[in-house]
Amino acid sequence: ELGYDNVWTAEQHAPDEYHSAQFPVLAAIATRTSRIRLGTYIVILPLYHPLQVAEEAATLDALSDGRFDLGVGQGYVVSEYAAYNVPRKERPARMEEGLAIIRGLWEQEQFSYEGKHFKIAPISLHPRPVQKRLPIWVAGLTEKSIDRAARYGCHFAGAGAAVGMQMYDASLQRHGYNPKQFHKGALRMVYIADSRERAWEEAA
């Protein structure tokens, strides 16, 4: 009714302004809405088993009747990795394996995987996503992380810098994709008040 197209949640573990468990929050929103799209900006993928993320995302897609977008990233907060007892140096490798596993589980009737960090015996995912190709967004700030988003054929969850958007488009082309078929998101902070003057006064 307010004219918004999407509502996305964000994950961190400790600060009050973020969600530590996004999927239950989005499931509650899904059952109370009918049109608005829902998404995660982002799930810190290396902290979790990809099978769990794939199952919960597919379930949320079913609950929302195909209105869900999965956004994932590496995260950066040292204390979060310490709390989960996951070495931060393993972030890129866990991220790569996680993306491969989630795609495989969603797109193949029977899927198995053996990598350095994750091993999955043959399994069939149920429920399957309602959307034929559930959108995956990958966060990135560095050249390597931006290239990863393009290499896996994912949409780009950026932080707003124009150079990152340009790098993403170039990487898509390098990996054989058409940039016009992909979306780019820019994270921007906003402050809402009754007037522009009041917003500046309160924010100051």
Side-chain angles (χ1 to χ4, degrees):
E1 288 79 4
L2 293 174
Y4 291 102
D5 297 309
N6 298 265
V7 57
W8 295 56
T9 55
E11 171 188 341
Q12 280 193 340
H13 301 271
D16 289 339
E17 64 267 29
Y18 295 93
H19 300 284
S20 57
Q22 298 179 84
F23 289 116
V25 173
L26 288 169
I29 295 172
T31 61
R32 290 163 173 80
T33 57
S34 58
R35 298 189 305 274
I36 196 165
R37 287 197 66 83
L38 313 172
T40 55
Y41 209 108
I42 55 163
V43 170
I44 305 171
L45 187 56
L47 295 181
Y48 305 104
H49 196 292
L51 175 57
Q52 176 191 354
V53 175
E55 289 175 333
E56 295 195 9
T59 301
L60 188 48
D61 198 47
L63 283 172
S64 65
D65 195 24
R67 291 183 286 128
F68 180 61
D69 288 49
L70 177 66
V72 297
Q74 299 191 143
Y76 57 88
V77 180
V78 174
S79 60
E80 293 176 336
Y81 274 85
Y84 274 79
N85 196 30
V86 174
R88 284 183 83 249
K89 66 180 181 181
E90 295 179 2
R91 289 184 306 158
R94 286 176 174 267
M95 184 78 183
E96 297 264 350
E97 291 190 19
L99 285 169
I101 290 169
I102 291 171
R103 269 276 162 75
L105 286 164
W106 287 350
E107 296 177 2
Q108 299 178 30
E109 284 295 331
Q110 189 86 352
F111 179 77
S112 62
Y113 185 88
E114 183 164 346
K116 182 179 179 182
H117 300 288
F118 302 104
K119 295 180 181 179
I120 299 176
I123 188 173
S124 247
L125 185 75
H126 293 284
R128 304 194 72 75
V130 171
Q131 299 173 89
K132 188 173 182 180
R133 191 169 174 84
L134 196 160
I136 300 178
W137 297 66
V138 173
L141 287 173
T142 66
E143 186 174 352
K144 284 184 178 180
S145 60
I146 292 171
D147 184 73
R148 180 186 298 122
R151 183 160 36 92
Y152 277 91
C154 298
H155 305 296
F156 177 47
V163 65
M165 304 296 177
Q166 293 162 1
M167 287 168 56
Y168 171 67
D169 283 347
S171 291
L172 282 172
Q173 291 175 324
R174 190 167 60 252
H175 294 294
Y177 295 104
N178 180 358
K180 292 182 179 179
Q181 296 177 340
F182 293 86
H183 299 296
K184 299 184 283 283
L187 186 63
R188 285 294 193 224
M189 301 297 181
V190 299
Y191 189 90
I192 300 174
D194 292 332
S195 69
R196 184 178 180 85
E197 292 72 23
R198 182 168 181 179
W200 275 114
E201 181 183 339
E202 292 179 359

